[in-house]
Amino acid sequence: MKFAALDEARDFLAAHPDIDMIELFILDANGVPRGKLLHREELLAVYESGRPLPSTILGLTLNGDDVENSGLVWDVGDIDCRAYPLAGSLVRLPWRQIPTAAVQVSMHPQEGLPASIADPRHLLIKVIDGLKAEGYHPVMACELEFYLLDAKRDGNGRPQPALDADGGRPRSTQVYGLRELEQIEPFLADLYAACKLQGIPARTAISEYAPGQVEITLEHGDALEAMDQAVRYKRLVKAVAHKHGMQATFMAKPFDHLAGTGMHMHVSIADAEGRNLFASQDPAGTPLLRQAVGGMLASLLESLLLFCPNANSYRRFQSNSYAPLAPTWGVDNRTVSLRVPGGPANSRHIEHRICGADANPYLAAAAILAGIHRGLRENLDPGEPVQGNGYAQATELLPTDWLTSLVALEQSAWARDALGSEFLGVYLAVKRAEYRQFMAEVGEQDWRWYLTQA
């Protein structure tokens, strides 16, 4: 684990004499940023000796509740665990009224115990190090979809697309529509400017398959760095949307009649000199690429909870929706779960299309890379790629419910070996608690279905 040098903080403070506040955050297993708001004069001490954070901070449910059987609450007395800043993460937040910067921290492997075992970034580093030890250097990129919503709900209290710049509300699906992007130009201008300021390589913007749905691609690079950027990008999108009077959501399926929201993960493997080991004139890639696909398919069910972590995640799996339904792969085919895009030989890679945008990028990447490592070690054959409509040819479907995925990860010997039993112990305790809370809640759908009929 490499943490930032003290000089980074000194140089930043010298270059930004107006900064008053520092937002210190760590990402929990649900992808929720949690932390503290510090004063300027507290920053150097964080770089020198870390910052104590309670052990429970990495064992909370999505709604911020303690999970007593996580091992991070009463068993350890909610002990302080020391977190340190990540290099390159200290950046200005240009949308804040009070001049504010943010710095991302991660638990120290020793000083951060016991919380460090539950740090999602640690898990990704562990999986990457395992690949690098065998000469494989993972390269990744994220495509994150999101909805821009009105800050105000409609007359029925439901979320609705944000107003266009001309005051209208988008009603129809105009995929790849340029007018739709023009209508959110003020938001996009501030978003790209903030990305540039924070060193996040945001590239192509696309109007997606629903009113108010947008996708912006991030550039590929070192796997850990790419996921750091994805984490900070999600925070940035929400903050810039809020500045413009909107709400950005990465919820997997916010509307039953509209497209779900995915996080497509692009991955390849390079050697120590940076040469793409998947590169081939064959559109299906090298034997190594096929082994990687085989490993991801073999571990898909056991990994699914990390790709689709919430009850709502599974509402996205619908036929003919460009969302995946089956453990399938293909070449330049968007009806499968694992797609090998076309393009020049040296750009050959795999597009993993299973994750919802609600997934934690660190955990999703860790599960993807662990599956690839399995395929390379065991020389797994994925079978022939799907030709044509993958939905029509599927013989085995992915689970469409939360509990099946939870149980599959719980019972997986492969996952315990690849991801570690200590991390899984905390993560599964959190997800079990969320499942019980979700199933215990009675709401509007229950009343519509059962109040008068039961």
Side-chain angles (χ1 to χ4, degrees):
M1 174 69 71
K2 295 179 181 178
F3 294 112
L6 179 59
D7 282 347
E8 184 175 310
R10 286 179 174 151
D11 292 345
F12 181 87
L13 293 176
H16 301 272
D18 64 320
I19 290 292
D20 288 331
M21 307 297 292
I22 309 292
E23 189 179 84
L24 177 149
F25 77 93
I26 190 169
L27 204 76
D28 74 6
N30 275 308
V32 177
R34 304 186 186 276
K36 299 180 177 183
L37 190 63
L38 311 180
H39 288 275
R40 176 188 180 91
E41 57 269 22
E42 298 178 87
L43 181 64
L44 293 182
V46 177
Y47 278 73
E48 288 175 323
S49 55
R51 184 77 183 194
L53 296 172
S55 56
T56 49
I57 200 169
L58 290 181
L60 300 171
T61 68
L62 191 66
N63 292 319
D65 299 319
D66 282 340
V67 178
E68 294 190 1
N69 64 339
S70 67
L72 299 179
V73 190
W74 312 128
D75 303 21
V76 296
D78 197 11
I79 189 173
D80 272 343
C81 305
R82 298 199 84 82
Y84 285 78
L86 301 178
S89 70
L90 180 57
V91 292
R92 191 182 189 98
L93 304 180
W95 54 85
R96 298 290 282 269
Q97 289 185 353
I98 300 173
T100 302
V103 62
Q104 185 179 354
V105 299
S106 184
M107 287 294 173
H108 190 282
Q110 289 79 43
E111 296 175 35
L113 287 171
S116 58
I117 65 172
D119 191 325
R121 195 172 186 273
H122 283 237
L123 178 62
L124 178 55
I125 290 171
K126 171 188 172 182
V127 175
I128 290 173
D129 285 348
L131 281 163
K132 286 184 175 179
E134 297 179 18
Y136 302 121
H137 296 255
V139 175
M140 297 191 75
C142 261
E143 287 180 358
L144 274 158
E145 298 168 345
F146 59 92
Y147 274 91
L148 285 175
L149 305 177
D150 199 315
K152 297 179 180 179
R153 301 292 178 91
D154 68 12
N156 296 313
R158 296 175 180 173
Q160 58 184 338
L163 292 172
D164 285 335
D166 63 11
R169 198 176 302 282
R171 298 293 184 186
S172 62
T173 298
Q174 292 293 343
V175 65
Y176 305 120
L178 295 178
R179 179 188 177 278
E180 283 62 35
L181 296 178
E182 183 181 342
Q183 288 295 312
I184 59 170
E185 185 176 20
F187 163 78
L188 289 177
D190 280 354
L191 179 60
Y192 277 117
C195 284
K196 185 176 181 180
L197 181 67
Q198 296 193 1
I200 296 174
R203 297 295 182 255
T204 306
I206 299 170
S207 175
E208 272 290 347
Y209 279 86
Q213 190 183 41
V214 182
E215 176 189 272
I216 295 178
T217 59
L218 301 179
E219 198 170 83
H220 69 281
D222 170 82
L224 180 61
E225 184 178 354
M227 295 308 109
D228 283 339
Q229 291 166 350
V231 163
R232 295 163 199 166
Y233 168 79
K234 289 182 75 171
R235 298 192 69 229
L236 195 155
V237 168
K238 290 184 177 183
V240 174
H242 179 72
K243 176 187 173 183
H244 284 264
M246 299 183 290
Q247 178 185 14
T249 181
F250 293 90
M251 184 178 177
K253 188 72 173 175
F255 302 102
D256 56 8
H257 61 293
L258 297 175
T261 306
M263 178 173 69
H264 296 168
M265 304 282 264
H266 296 255
V267 59
S268 61
I269 299 293
D271 63 16
E273 285 71 44
R275 292 183 291 260
N276 183 3
L277 298 177
F278 290 172
S280 173
Q281 295 296 337
D282 183 349
T286 60
L288 200 72
L289 182 149
R290 294 175 66 94
Q291 292 168 17
V293 171
M296 284 191 283
L297 291 177
S299 56
L300 178 52
L301 176 58
E302 296 152 283
S303 305
L304 195 57
L305 188 67
L306 300 167
F307 304 146
C308 304
N310 304 308
N312 176 264
S313 307
Y314 297 85
R315 300 191 189 280
R316 179 170 154 261
F317 295 154
Q318 296 182 13
S319 186
N320 302 319
S321 66
Y322 290 102
L325 280 183
T328 52
W329 79 288
V331 178
D332 206 10
N333 187 334
R334 288 184 171 85
T335 68
V336 297
S337 294
L338 303 177
R339 170 179 174 254
V340 181
N346 62 0
S347 70
R348 199 73 65 226
H349 67 279
I350 303 163
E351 180 188 27
H352 184 282
R353 299 171 58 82
I354 300 163
C355 301
D358 56 342
N360 181 324
Y362 292 135
L363 299 186
I368 289 169
L369 294 178
I372 287 175
H373 202 174
R374 178 182 185 179
L376 302 184
R377 279 181 164 175
E378 300 178 18
N379 191 20
L380 296 180
D381 182 1
E384 290 303 308
V386 169
Q387 306 284 339
N389 187 348
Y391 294 114
Q393 299 176 51
T395 57
E396 178 186 355
L397 299 179
L398 297 175
T400 55
D401 70 284
W402 198 14
L403 183 59
T404 299
S405 297
L406 198 160
V407 171
L409 180 60
E410 228 169 21
Q411 297 179 348
S412 172
W414 166 79
R416 285 194 298 274
D417 180 60
L419 306 178
S421 57
E422 288 183 319
F423 167 79
L424 286 180
V426 177
Y427 184 72
L428 288 167
V430 169
K431 286 297 157 186
R432 275 284 180 188
E434 290 177 357
Y435 177 78
R436 289 192 294 270
Q437 290 173 359
F438 187 87
M439 294 304 295
E441 187 170 321
V442 177
E444 191 265 345
Q445 181 172 332
D446 296 76
W447 300 324
R448 279 193 294 107
W449 278 56
Y450 305 119
L451 198 63
T452 60
Q453 302 302 328

